[in-house]
Amino acid sequence: MSRIEKRFAQLKADKRAGLVTYITAGDPNAEVGYQILKGLPAAGADLIELGMPFTDPMADGPSIQLAGQRALKAGITVDVTFDMVRRFRKETGDNDTPILLMGYYNLVYQRGAERFCKEAAAAGIDGFILVDLPPEEVDELKPFAVANGLDTVLLTAPTTDDKRLPAVLSYASGFVYFVSVLGITGTTSASEEAVRTHVERIKRHTKLPVGVGFGIKTPDQAAAIARHADAAVVGSAIVDRVKAGLDDNGKAKPDLVPGVFAYIKALADGVRGVRKV
Amino acid sequence: MSTSPNSFRTGPDERGHFGLFGGRYVAETLMPLILDLEKAYNEAKVDPQFQGELKYLLTQYAGRPSPLYYAERLTKKLGGAKVYLKRDELNHTGSHKINNVLGQVLLAKRMGKTRVIAETGAGQHGVATATACALFDIPCVVFMGSVDVDRQAPNVFRMKMLGAEVRPVKAGAATLKDAMNEALRDWVATCETTFYCIGTVAGPHPYPAMVRDFQCVIGDEVRKQMMEAEGRLPDTLVACIGGGSNAMGLFHPFLDDSGVRIIGVEAAGRGIDSGEHAASLTGGRPGVLHGNRTYLLQDKEGQITEAHSISAGLDYPGIGPEHSWLKEKGRVEYVSATDDEAVEAFQLLCKIEGIIPALESAHALAHTLKLAPTLPKDNLLVMNLSGRGDKDVPQIAERLGVKI
């Protein structure tokens, strides 16, 4: 059983949904970024998505674009990201919280999918969410991910109809990420009703847990998602808190890290307040 | 068309791959829409009514066929190959871009889409798209890097007059790559009603093949016109390459004619060695961006690096995937020309033939100036004059230190 599978099994046993938190690796710099990563589980994150900063994040809105630019400016590379996860596993002794890499395929491709998977697994990473690697192209990564025990979390969208869903799901492992709105990250939010309908639809096709993301900004919204999905994913709203903790020169103010954790705690309270039957 | 296994014209495969290159590296939200587009295009392609409508528009509205003009004075000056200019700058809207846009906007209409978006670098594709959208009464939004908005001011105003909304993009280097990112971001939010009219032979499948097919009218005409003028096929083809649509349009119909030497000219900016250039094939390596795998300018890690070219239309760190494949197959030669060489060629053509070329096409000309003198007098060389340079006049004036 992978860490992701174990975590969802535990959530099910606890009769609640999970909170998946996204941060961009090394935003606003390697050290502060690590302090945030390190404290995420204690703040209430059940799973962690670690974004690999990329120059051309085509599916991301302004918040995550800016976070990526901050991280790139701070010199964050794939190796630095791997090191950060390695350090997290070692220093915190947390061997249970799943960490997924999120981002764009070119960074994986340049290193070579096989080598990338090997190194990611060795660093303590559990899987991938690669925005621009749909089922049509995931073949070139999947065998190496499987060989190294990494989950490939595939995206489904409102445009993924019942006819297409089985093909998408056949490549998915860990959980299914439902992109709840048409659009980029951090913009509009889906209605609770729309989320309910889509999650039920996806669950008719798979036993995998379903995480729902895009546009979740408040504890109430996170709670609404938690009523229907197995996990709520929050990203842009968190990196906005990182940005809010920077001074005019882009340096981290003392309240940056506590501010991020306080916000995540509020989201976690929202999610945990929903009892699942 | 040859369908033998030795043909260079049968790609892409059913998954949109040209060998290693091409493909469909897009977000899941877009994937079903891209499959719809592929289906709609495949149906339209073989529908005589669609092809008839397109042919009518290309002839009566865009002014095709464009002449294949024997540039006698240029030929005499160069003292080598017999230089013909394919006059695609004479098309309505001033470049080859209209060939593709009329096809795509017709397809948008056929698919029932109610809004069209486009990215643009020099503004030629934006102007062409705005034009076709005016003709078909479809709302049009054009994404353009804010640096390009400044250096191509005449085209920005043209688009606005044609009723399009121009959205300046400030991200990154604020040029063509960033405009394409922003267009993709818009599309992912609006894909159910919006048609994304990509301006070059790049992006996810089926765009590279579809745009190529629409541009092949250039090479098909050249073939016929050269037979009429000289009774045989050309010996040498030269075209400039940013994304590579005018080049692919000229080259593709000749790929299986092994006697035809084919040369694509990338933008070398301030020189390949300076690192400030837009020559993806010469200075890049394969990577994944904007929905396809192709040669890209990138760092060791895979972060995309900024391209540089004086020509906004060539200022892009990638290239159409089929060009990448043709490079690897060795069928097409890829060379480059610098900013300075292009500006010099630009001025020469004005004076010697009375034609103001687009800065993009001036790159093809710059190489022609080098190549033609080395070729025998019976070598028939066709250079694609893909755009006219009116849009570049303010920029050239500034570079030459002239106030207008």
Side-chain angles (χ1 to χ4, degrees):
Chain A
M1 229 192 208
S2 72
R3 276 195 199 103
I4 297 173
E5 288 167 328
K6 272 191 221 157
R7 178 53 49 106
F8 276 104
Q10 184 60 49
L11 289 167
K12 198 169 180 186
D14 293 347
K15 296 189 166 29
R16 69 172 180 91
L19 174 67
V20 183
T21 57
Y22 169 96
I23 57 169
T24 296
D27 169 31
N29 59 54
E31 191 48 39
V32 176
Y34 177 72
Q35 294 308 324
I36 297 172
L37 173 66
K38 190 178 162 185
L40 287 175
D46 296 300
L47 291 89
I48 295 169
E49 283 180 16
L50 198 53
M52 299 184 283
F54 182 53
T55 41
D56 295 83
M58 286 152 301
D60 285 305
S63 299
I64 293 179
Q65 287 178 43
L66 287 172
Q69 285 166 20
R70 290 192 294 268
L72 286 174
K73 210 174 153 198
I76 304 305
T77 61
V78 171
D79 282 329
V80 172
T81 306
F82 287 169
D83 283 345
M84 223 178 267
V85 175
R86 205 174 285 119
R87 187 176 160 198
F88 171 92
R89 295 282 181 222
K90 197 172 153 218
E91 280 186 13
T92 63
D94 183 337
N95 217 11
D96 303 316
T97 304
I99 300 179
L100 292 112
L101 286 182
M102 182 153 190
Y104 297 83
Y105 180 58
N106 197 43
L107 299 186
V108 178
Y109 178 64
Q110 291 311 317
R111 189 163 288 234
E114 184 170 16
R115 184 182 148 204
F116 195 103
C117 288
K118 224 171 129 187
E119 292 180 2
I125 286 158
D126 300 289
F128 296 110
I129 307 174
L130 294 171
V131 179
D132 54 354
L133 204 63
E136 278 73 5
E137 306 291 351
V138 78
D139 272 351
E140 61 186 85
L141 175 76
K142 185 79 188 174
F144 306 115
V146 170
N148 288 283
L150 297 167
D151 282 312
T152 47
V153 173
L154 267 79
L155 304 173
T156 66
T159 49
T160 315
D161 61 17
D162 282 321
K163 219 174 105 207
R164 181 172 165 78
L165 254 178
V168 178
L169 294 168
S170 70
Y171 290 99
S173 69
F175 68 99
V176 180
Y177 189 134
F178 175 60
V179 174
S180 61
V181 295
L182 290 181
I184 51 178
T185 54
T187 50
T188 53
S189 311
S191 72
E192 187 174 344
E193 182 54 25
V195 168
R196 187 182 64 80
T197 311
H198 280 292
V199 171
E200 281 175 5
R201 186 168 69 88
I202 295 165
K203 282 187 171 287
R204 279 199 294 275
H205 292 270
T206 183
K207 288 199 164 64
L208 287 172
V210 179
V212 174
F214 281 46
I216 304 172
K217 295 185 180 81
T218 67
D220 284 350
Q221 284 172 328
I225 299 294
R227 277 192 277 279
H228 307 290
D230 300 297
V233 187
V234 185
S236 298
I238 293 174
V239 304
D240 281 345
R241 293 303 190 285
V242 175
K243 188 180 169 214
L246 298 171
D247 66 20
D248 292 344
N249 300 315
K251 288 194 67 156
K253 293 186 280 190
D255 62 349
L256 185 153
V257 176
V260 170
F261 291 158
Y263 174 65
I264 290 171
K265 184 167 184 311
L267 292 170
D269 289 345
V271 168
R272 287 168 198 235
V274 178
R275 295 294 293 172
K276 315 271 274 189
V277 282
Chain B
M1 193 199 298
S2 166
T3 51
S4 77
N6 293 324
S7 174
F8 289 100
R9 304 193 62 197
T10 54
D13 66 19
E14 60 188 24
R15 294 174 62 199
H17 291 242
F18 300 90
L20 175 68
F21 304 102
R24 292 174 288 211
Y25 297 85
V26 295
E28 172 61 23
T29 309
L30 292 179
M31 201 56 227
L33 282 298
I34 282 175
L35 294 171
D36 282 351
L37 173 63
E38 185 185 353
K39 188 164 165 274
Y41 174 59
N42 285 338
E43 285 164 9
K45 199 162 57 171
V46 295
D47 178 352
Q49 199 194 328
F50 178 86
Q51 290 299 341
E53 246 181 290
L54 180 57
K55 175 104 207 263
Y56 174 84
L57 286 169
L58 287 173
T59 310
Q60 303 299 330
Y61 186 69
R64 300 207 73 91
S66 68
L68 181 66
Y69 164 70
Y70 167 44
E72 194 174 352
R73 287 198 67 207
L74 182 63
T75 298
K76 281 198 178 125
K77 180 178 165 58
L78 298 178
K82 193 168 180 186
V83 179
Y84 281 85
L85 302 177
K86 177 60 174 167
R87 300 287 305 273
D88 252 52
E89 102 282 9
L90 291 176
N91 295 334
H92 181 43
T93 75
S95 79
H96 70 290
K97 294 293 187 187
I98 193 76
N99 307 334
N100 163 47
V101 161
L102 287 172
Q104 285 200 49
V105 175
L106 264 184
L107 187 60
K109 208 180 81 173
R110 185 184 165 103
M111 291 176 74
K113 301 290 181 181
T114 55
R115 175 175 176 262
V116 167
I117 57 170
E119 83 294 335
T120 198
Q124 296 298 84
H125 175 59
V127 166
T129 308
T131 298
C133 287
L135 180 66
F136 289 107
D137 194 23
I138 300 179
C140 173
V141 176
V142 179
F143 294 89
M144 188 170 188
S146 58
V147 166
D148 293 339
V149 167
D150 292 340
R151 63 178 163 175
Q152 300 287 344
N155 270 347
V156 175
F157 190 62
R158 284 170 81 196
M159 287 185 266
K160 288 180 181 168
M161 283 194 303
L162 291 161
E165 179 191 341
V166 179
R167 286 202 202 152
V169 178
K170 291 199 171 66
T175 59
L176 182 53
K177 169 185 79 129
D178 311 291
M180 194 148 182
N181 286 336
E182 212 52 41
L184 283 163
R185 289 180 186 124
D186 180 292
W187 199 30
V188 86
T190 60
C191 53
E192 287 178 325
T193 55
T194 294
F195 188 98
Y196 181 14
C197 182
I198 294 184
T200 191
V201 286
H205 178 65
Y207 283 100
M210 177 171 71
V211 176
R212 172 199 71 199
D213 293 350
F214 288 139
Q215 290 295 359
C216 273
V217 65
I218 301 171
D220 288 338
E221 283 175 9
V222 165
R223 207 177 170 91
K224 193 158 161 270
Q225 290 166 322
M226 191 57 99
M227 287 306 286
E228 280 164 13
E230 302 276 356
R232 65 182 181 91
L233 293 181
D235 300 295
T236 311
L237 304 175
V238 182
C240 68
I241 298 193
S245 70
N246 91 80
M248 193 56 76
L250 174 64
F251 298 169
H252 201 264
F254 294 98
L255 289 176
D256 287 340
D257 299 293
S258 56
V260 181
R261 183 181 176 193
I262 305 181
I263 304 166
V265 186
E266 295 191 287
R270 300 192 174 101
I272 300 289
D273 296 336
S274 74
E276 295 179 68
H277 61 81
S280 340
L281 288 176
T282 311
R285 58 177 202 282
V288 174
L289 180 73
H290 292 157
N292 67 104
R293 176 164 26 224
T294 192
Y295 273 77
L296 297 173
L297 300 179
Q298 55 187 322
D299 69 10
K300 190 169 95 339
E301 182 92 347
Q303 304 291 352
I304 309 305
T305 52
E306 301 296 348
H308 166 83
S309 171
I310 186 176
S311 143
L314 305 182
D315 202 347
Y316 180 70
I319 185 166
E322 196 168 8
H323 283 293
S324 293
W325 181 74
L326 288 168
K327 174 196 160 81
E328 300 233 320
K329 289 282 159 200
R331 175 61 186 102
V332 176
E333 296 167 46
Y334 292 93
V335 299
S336 61
T338 64
D339 288 352
D340 288 343
E341 290 168 335
V343 170
E344 206 172 300
F346 178 101
Q347 296 175 81
L348 176 76
L349 198 69
C350 293
K351 293 202 173 109
I352 200 167
E353 292 286 352
I355 298 172
I356 304 176
L359 264 174
E360 291 75 26
S361 320
H363 285 73
L365 184 62
H367 188 71
T368 302
L369 301 183
K370 282 186 253 179
L371 178 68
T374 70
L375 298 172
K377 285 192 172 10
D378 62 352
N379 189 290
L380 303 176
L381 184 152
V382 177
M383 190 208 100
N384 198 12
L385 188 50
S386 54
R388 71 176 80 129
D390 308 48
K391 69 185 175 60
D392 300 312
V393 169
Q395 201 192 352
I396 292 283
E398 195 187 315
R399 193 173 171 101
L400 300 178
V402 179
K403 271 213 158 124
I404 52 172

